[in-house]
Amino acid sequence: MRSWVYHRPTSVRTPTAVFLDIGPLAFILVEVSAQLKQFLQLSTPSNEHWTCTRDALVGNCGEQNHPMMKSMTVVVVGGGVVGFSTAVCIAEALPYCSVTLIADRFTPDTTSDVAAGILICSPFPDIPLEQQQRWFKESIDHLLAIAQSEQASEAGVLLSSGWQIHKELPVDKVPFWSAFVLGFRIMTDRELKRFPDHKFGQAFTTVKCECSNYLPWMEKRFRKAGGQVVKQKVNDLQELSSQGYDVIVNCSGLGAKSLVGDSQVYPVRGQVLKVQAPWLQHFIRDGEGQSYIYPGMHSVTVGGTRQVDDWRLEVDPEDSQDILERCSSLEPSLSRARVLGESVGLRPSRKNVRVEREMVLLGSRQVPVVHNYGHGGWGVSLSWGTALEALGLVRKCLHERPPRARL
């Protein structure tokens, strides 16, 4: 399979876009700059700025001819967007390794399926900002490439333009990810009149990834690369010791709390509604992330809640009512929208996302374990970037480890 990754040409400046307020119910994108048009023209697999993902990831490391690789086995635990992104990266970059993904839940029953999937991010306090920028850039470039391909609809990836508004001036008027979205700019006073309770805003175009489409598409891509998928609940890494895997990759999200005993992992409950409002074309997000309106391919996602250490998975009618009231204050026409469904997900939160490796004693063997979890509400936004980081750690583990004796 040939899959493609976009490399931003340095000669293309960040595109700009202008939004006008033309009434209480609608926003339109009235100008797309020449730079954005140039980006769209570049987004075809035949363009010189694209390279094959397999070649880009393998590089000159020589894995294809490495005598040890043919006998190596890797298992990825976790069936959400982080798990499948990591499994795809490993399977495509190391085609002569056997890669298995194990999870007890798959789409449509994952936290990723509840996620609105809009690419923005808040910084983690103790991770170098440059590293977080790299993760975000790699993720959005990966999804931009899909959004401009013939597979965009099947994969559930689309461009999304809109506004992020703030009631008070934010500490970071220009967030760390602003250089990687399209057309980032500060909203004008005229635009802010639409939101009288807000003093500041940012307008930009980003990517929306609908995981109910994206996860099946990624699973198909993983299987095409030779990956195997197993439905199984793993309660302890010791359960994998008898399988003899050379490397274990832990993408278990909130499950890491029990799987590897990580007490720093905690849930942040999120509840959203899907509504039918096809007249809405642009997103609106309160800067605190508590209220948001995200138009998608087939419906509009409105939310939400951020309830720390709340393990409830049942829909709370009071939360739904509160969400509709808050979002209708931002977009009054939502009062006419028909509710299609309600969902709850538990964000796998942690003070800092964990992407690192360690040696774990499983049975009588020391087994390298690569961790990639704790993304909180930013799993989609960082999924491909941290997957590439995890791939690099897996590669190191395989090159440092002698082949196992096989009976």
Side-chain angles (χ1 to χ4, degrees), residues 4-15 34-51 141 144-149 182:
W4 304 92
V5 58
Y6 178 72
H7 294 277
R8 291 177 185 264
T10 55
S11 60
V12 179
R13 294 185 293 112
T14 302
Q35 289 82 17
L36 179 56
K37 291 179 181 178
Q38 185 175 358
F39 171 83
L40 299 180
Q41 292 168 356
L42 289 172
S43 299
T44 59
S46 60
N47 189 275
E48 64 181 356
H49 295 290
W50 290 69
T51 58
D141 283 355
L144 278 170
I146 298 171
Q148 297 306 317
S149 76
L182 302 177

Side-chain angles (χ1 to χ4, degrees), residues 34-79:
Q35 289 82 17
L36 179 56
K37 291 179 181 178
Q38 185 175 358
F39 171 83
L40 299 180
Q41 292 168 356
L42 289 172
S43 299
T44 59
S46 60
N47 189 275
E48 64 181 356
H49 295 290
W50 290 69
T51 58
C52 182
T53 301
R54 186 186 301 265
D55 296 338
L57 295 182
V58 171
N60 297 317
C61 295
E63 279 91 346
Q64 294 190 19
N65 298 317
H66 199 293
M68 291 163 50
M69 291 298 172
K70 295 181 181 180
S71 62
M72 291 295 188
T73 58
V74 177
V75 63
V76 178
V77 181

Side-chain angles (χ1 to χ4, degrees), residues 218-350:
M218 286 289 279
E219 180 176 347
K220 184 166 69 173
R221 178 169 165 175
F222 176 59
R223 290 181 183 273
K224 193 170 183 179
Q228 303 175 62
V229 177
V230 176
K231 184 176 176 62
Q232 173 188 332
K233 183 173 180 59
V234 180
N235 297 296
D236 191 294
L237 292 183
Q238 293 290 342
E239 297 175 16
L240 301 174
S241 61
S242 62
Q243 304 297 317
Y245 294 110
D246 293 290
V247 180
I248 297 171
V249 186
N250 172 25
C251 302
S252 59
L254 192 58
K257 189 174 186 69
S258 58
L259 183 65
V260 295
D262 189 341
S263 60
Q264 296 185 51
V265 178
Y266 61 93
V268 176
R269 181 179 179 274
Q271 182 166 318
V272 300
L273 293 84
K274 300 284 188 180
V275 302
Q276 190 173 41
W279 59 88
L280 296 181
Q281 300 296 315
H282 299 279
F283 71 79
I284 304 171
R285 181 183 191 271
D286 185 276
E288 298 298 321
Q290 190 74 11
S291 303
Y292 47 82
I293 303 166
Y294 294 138
M297 287 185 169
H298 307 295
S299 62
V300 178
T301 301
V302 296
T305 63
R306 291 183 178 275
Q307 296 155 332
V308 177
D309 284 326
D310 190 333
W311 291 85
R312 291 177 300 143
L313 286 170
E314 303 80 16
V315 170
D316 186 326
E318 292 185 4
D319 283 341
S320 293
Q321 184 61 35
D322 181 55
I323 289 168
L324 288 173
E325 290 177 358
R326 283 188 276 114
C327 290
S328 294
S329 70
L330 299 176
E331 176 49 71
S333 70
L334 276 175
S335 62
R336 303 197 305 271
R338 181 167 67 93
V339 175
L340 302 174
E342 303 163 279
S343 304
V344 175
L346 304 180
R347 302 176 182 94
S349 301
R350 200 173 184 272

Side-chain angles (χ1 to χ4, degrees), residues 127-183:
I127 297 176
L129 200 58
E130 295 79 8
Q131 187 174 20
Q132 298 183 62
Q133 287 177 318
R134 185 177 72 250
W135 289 344
F136 185 88
K137 180 184 184 300
E138 289 168 341
S139 298
I140 196 169
D141 283 355
H142 161 74
L143 290 169
L144 278 170
I146 298 171
Q148 297 306 317
S149 76
E150 72 283 357
Q151 299 190 55
S153 179
E154 180 186 355
V157 182
L158 64 153
L159 293 176
S160 183
S161 300
W163 291 338
Q164 178 169 251
I165 52 179
H166 303 261
K167 291 183 178 179
E168 302 294 336
L169 288 178
V171 175
D172 294 320
K173 294 182 180 179
V174 180
F176 75 91
W177 44 262
S178 61
F180 311 118
V181 297
L182 302 177

